[in-house]
Amino acid sequence: HDDARYAFYKMIIGIDATNVRDGGGLTYILELLTTIVPANHGISKIVIWGSSQTLAKLPYIAWLKKENPPALNKGLFVRTFWQRFKLSHAARKSQCDVLFIPGGSYKGTFKPIVAMSQNLLPFERSELNRFGISLIWFKLNILRYTQSHSFRFADGVIFLTEYAKQAVLKVTGPLSGDTIVIAHGLSSRFRMRLKAQRPIGDYTESNPYRLLYVSSIYPYKHQWHLIEAVHILRTQGLPIKLDLIGPAFPATLPRLKATIAKFDPEKIWVQYHGAIPYETLNNFYAQSDLGVFASSCENMPIILLEAMASALPIACSNCGPMPEILGDSGLYFDPENPLEIAQSLRMYIDSPELRNEKAKASVERCQKYTWERCAEETFAFLSKVGRK
């Protein structure tokens, strides 16, 4: 009996964080490691390889071993070289039973590995081609190749949505390893109470009805179509304002600026705030009346979940996994059709009852998206693959 317990608690999990610096990748790893109880899954130790900057942000726990090879403090090429030629040896030296690759790309020799698919752009050709023949287009095509290889090589692959899984499999074909869909969690600070929904007559130009779209400025995010849709509603005399938040892709920013200049030259009702600290983002949700999400390509739209949890009624793109996440708790539109976007927004604006109904449904629907569930399912899967 004692030997059986010892065998159960001896598994060692390795995590490749060689190219994790900040943003969603760091948030994901941080949430997993601060939520999980490894012993519940027969895990005695977790070893993670990353830069000194990344590792400094992770907790100090007895079962967590942080490894910082000097190469991981250098540029992308050096880090990628280390991952390709040194990580496998490091994982064997640490006696790992399974190696987890959250970034999805791996060309080493260690087995077994579990890869995670987090970027859907390389696998949707029509969306990828929005960038034209450019540096990012070539990078995404390379990523399509490297991640396809990794997923075929992997003993297990984690997808974030069922939609993303099917989109990737169309490119890779059937995978030999195990697959599972595990959605990310949602920070509790975005969870808010329902707001009283007031008729549009209660709003004025000095106290406008506020629309919020949080997303980076990329060709597939369609902020310009949303601006035109809001312009249509403004010409109907509605006192509405649009707040746009998110970092800008340099090649796309001129299009956004030109659209704002065309429809709101006096900068009265469109405000682009740029990138803001993630820690303060929930304040914008709290001050808004309606959430909009107009992207046409997502793996798992965390921003959509944030708006849902913030008790906002949601007008949403009908593309990708958005209907899988939002279900029947929102209104949908074609993100490239400004008139259709405007019609969805108008339905909400005209009906406080509809806003209340959808906001309530959104709050209830997003309750299942927790980091506790994500961590439990992730490490259960890693443990399962390792024991095979």
Side-chain angles (χ1 to χ4, degrees), residues 22 42 64 67 137 155 180 189 199 217 246 248 314 327 338 344 368:
D22 49 29
L64 179 63
E67 294 282 4
W137 184 87
D155 303 272
I180 191 172
R189 64 191 177 84
I217 314 300
I314 310 294
S344 295
K368 63 182 178 180

Side-chain angles (χ1 to χ4, degrees), residues 83-383:
Q83 186 209 42
R84 171 66 176 86
F85 295 102
K86 302 293 185 179
L87 176 58
S88 297
H89 173 73
R92 293 188 185 99
K93 184 177 179 181
S94 294
Q95 299 181 310
C96 292
D97 295 283
V98 62
L99 181 60
F100 182 30
I101 315 292
S105 295
Y106 180 71
K107 294 274 288 184
T109 59
F110 183 89
K111 296 279 277 183
I113 72 160
V114 171
M116 184 164 69
S117 172
Q118 295 199 72
N119 189 348
L120 198 59
L121 261 179
F123 296 94
E124 294 204 310
R125 181 68 69 183
S126 60
E127 299 294 336
L128 185 158
N129 287 340
R130 293 183 189 275
F131 292 91
I133 304 301
S134 59
L135 179 60
I136 192 170
W137 184 87
F138 282 107
K139 287 182 177 179
L140 289 170
N141 274 282
I142 292 171
L143 202 59
R144 179 187 179 99
Y145 167 77
T146 59
Q147 293 203 350
S148 294
H149 173 273
S150 299
F151 298 157
R152 295 188 188 106
F153 175 81
D155 303 272
V157 180
I158 296 174
F159 296 97
L160 307 188
T161 59
E162 184 63 34
Y163 175 90
K165 175 182 175 180
Q166 297 307 320
V168 171
L169 292 180
K170 287 179 182 178
V171 176
T172 64
L175 302 178
S176 58
D178 293 339
T179 62
I180 191 172
V181 174
I182 304 176
H184 281 359
L186 178 67
S187 172
S188 59
R189 64 191 177 84
F190 289 101
R191 301 186 187 276
M192 303 178 190
R193 295 180 179 179
L194 289 171
K195 306 173 184 178
Q197 298 295 334
R198 298 181 289 144
I200 193 64
D202 287 356
Y203 297 89
T204 63
E205 286 296 336
S206 59
N207 179 33
Y209 187 80
R210 301 179 72 103
L211 314 182
L212 175 66
Y213 182 20
V214 179
S215 192
S216 52
I217 314 300
Y218 276 99
Y220 60 96
K221 299 294 189 174
H222 307 297
Q223 281 89 350
W224 29 90
H225 297 310
L226 174 59
I227 292 171
E228 184 174 351
V230 175
H231 169 72
I232 292 172
L233 297 177
R234 293 271 310 176
T235 61
Q236 297 171 7
L238 297 174
I240 56 180
K241 177 182 178 180
L242 174 61
D243 289 299
L244 300 173
I245 292 175
F249 176 53
T252 309
L253 185 58
R255 183 176 182 180
L256 176 68
K257 290 183 175 180
T259 305
I260 294 175
K262 176 181 178 180
F263 292 108
D264 184 24
E266 302 299 322
K267 298 183 179 180
I268 296 172
W269 52 267
V270 181
Q271 185 171 359
Y272 172 52
H273 300 268
I276 66 167
Y278 183 70
E279 294 74 19
T280 64
L281 184 56
N282 53 301
N283 296 328
F284 277 87
Y285 287 113
Q287 296 165 9
S288 300
D289 299 297
L290 176 65
V292 185
F293 194 72
S295 175
S296 56
C297 182
E298 297 292 327
N299 195 318
M300 183 188 172
I302 292 292
I303 290 170
L304 175 57
L305 276 178
E306 291 171 355
M308 293 167 64
S310 299
L312 294 177
I314 310 294
C316 186
S317 162
N318 59 10
C319 301
M322 274 59 88
E324 180 180 340
I325 301 297
L326 185 59
D328 61 359
S329 58
L331 298 180
Y332 294 95
F333 53 74
D334 175 351
E336 298 187 72
N337 187 328
L339 182 58
E340 195 171 311
I341 299 173
Q343 289 170 343
S344 295
L345 298 177
R346 185 73 200 236
M347 289 178 66
Y348 273 134
I349 290 170
D350 288 343
S351 176
E353 294 79 16
L354 179 62
R355 282 184 250 144
N356 186 69
E357 173 194 335
K358 296 299 186 181
K360 182 178 179 181
S362 291
V363 169
E364 293 174 353
R365 187 175 179 86
C366 72
Q367 294 302 313
K368 63 182 178 180
Y369 294 99
T370 67
W371 284 114
E372 289 78 10
R373 174 206 47 77
C374 177
E376 287 296 317
E377 293 180 6
T378 299
F379 282 99
F381 185 67
L382 292 172
S383 181

Side-chain angles (χ1 to χ4, degrees), residues 18-19 21 74-82 139:
T18 57
N19 289 316
R21 284 294 188 270
K74 299 182 179 180
L76 177 62
F77 177 80
V78 175
R79 299 198 307 268
T80 302
F81 182 89
W82 184 91
K139 287 182 177 179

Side-chain angles (χ1 to χ4, degrees), residues 15-46:
I15 299 179
D16 169 32
T18 57
N19 289 316
V20 173
R21 284 294 188 270
D22 49 29
L26 179 59
T27 298
Y28 173 75
I29 290 176
L30 183 60
E31 292 287 356
L32 287 191
L33 295 179
T34 54
T35 302
I36 194 63
V37 178
N40 291 346
H41 300 282
I43 299 168
S44 63
K45 183 191 298 184
I46 295 176

